[in-house]
Amino acid sequence: MGYVFDFHDARNYDGWMLKRKNRFAADLESRLMLGMLDPAAGESILDIGCGTGASCLPLLEKGLDVTGIDPSPYMLDILSETLGNRVSLYRGVAEDLPFDDNSFNHACLFTSLEFVDNPQKALEEAFRVAKDRVFIGFLNRYAITGIGRRVRGIFTPTIYNRATFFSVWEIKGMVRKLMGPVPVCWRTVCQLPGPWSTWMKQIEGSGLVQRFPFGTFAGMVVTLLPRFRTRPLAIRYQPKKVGHMAAGTAGCSGMAPSNGFETSHRQSDEKR
């Protein structure tokens, strides 16, 4: 199951999102997700580890049919208060999703893979319930910000003490192990220091900056290919009944074969 956010964690996270700097960073991450996932309005998506709804709201604004699942009832309560009935909510864990195969067009794990016990199983479940694309957003292990968070966690208890950080190559390796050579694309958000303005968003959105592998937040889109299961089928075969043989054939079958002596004897009698 991994770490489940309690009441204080949920409130602290919701308060953290109210700060302008953090909202700016969250907006950059959401832009990256929507730009890479490129969903069409009306399509369905499952937000795995939806939390208090930081990733749900941009999906709703895009016109998607959003379903959220999270193991924390406190997170789901805050999300329900914020978005009401606009999102279908379920309580559950990423490693065991209560949905059928191919139930959604897309699925996303938005900074939720860090808090599960079995990341590979969580990815496998996401690939199972989605039929088009899966977005994986995670905190970069090799980002300067990520290193700083881990160092601060040594001296001060933080939620990041419960998190497992990943690199782009680690996530890509897990995807390849599960799905084989499917199309995979990754980008990052560097969260460069500076004023939080429109031109900063343009810099962060440039292809050159997003291809930097050590950005604070990394996003990866996996395009799912159709996979077919085959099973052997028993073929029922009933031989046709043999019909009656022709009369002439039946008569001939009862005749004894003649030999050469009998034939030559008959011919000599006729000459006499």
Side-chain angles (χ1 to χ4, degrees), residues 69-235:
I69 185 169
D70 198 279
S72 171
Y74 307 105
M75 289 287 210
L76 293 175
D77 286 344
I78 295 175
L79 175 55
S80 180
E81 293 173 2
T82 305
L83 298 179
N85 297 326
R86 298 174 63 188
V87 179
S88 300
L89 299 178
Y90 293 83
R91 185 184 178 189
V93 297
E95 297 96 328
D96 187 17
L97 298 176
F99 306 105
D100 294 332
D101 296 359
N102 305 319
S103 296
F104 305 91
N105 292 107
H106 314 290
C108 70
L109 297 104
F110 199 92
T111 61
S112 55
L113 200 64
E114 291 84 347
F115 299 98
V116 302
D117 269 344
N118 192 337
Q120 187 161 307
K121 181 61 177 176
L123 289 177
E124 184 180 6
E125 281 289 276
F127 298 147
R128 179 183 66 82
V129 301
K131 57 185 176 181
D132 294 331
R133 288 180 294 278
V134 173
F135 176 83
I136 309 163
F138 53 98
L139 302 175
N140 195 344
R141 175 195 291 272
Y142 297 118
I144 296 176
T145 306
I147 295 173
R149 286 168 176 165
R150 294 198 296 275
V151 171
R152 285 196 300 272
I154 298 174
F155 305 99
T156 305
T158 68
I159 194 62
Y160 297 111
N161 293 350
R162 308 280 188 172
T164 301
F165 292 80
F166 299 97
S167 69
V168 172
W169 302 280
E170 287 173 322
I171 297 295
K172 191 173 182 179
M174 283 192 283
V175 171
R176 293 294 190 210
K177 184 176 181 180
L178 290 169
M179 303 299 292
V182 295
V184 175
C185 176
W186 63 268
R187 296 287 187 273
T188 66
V189 172
C190 291
Q191 298 181 11
L192 299 171
W196 310 311
S197 58
T198 303
W199 64 268
M200 180 58 73
K201 290 183 180 180
Q202 293 176 351
I203 293 175
E204 288 277 5
S206 67
L208 182 61
V209 173
Q210 289 186 348
R211 293 298 295 180
F212 183 62
F214 306 112
T216 301
F217 175 86
M220 185 175 294
V221 163
V222 181
T223 302
L224 306 177
L225 300 179
R227 306 175 76 178
F228 301 96
R229 294 180 180 178
T230 60
R231 62 177 181 176
L233 297 176
I235 300 177

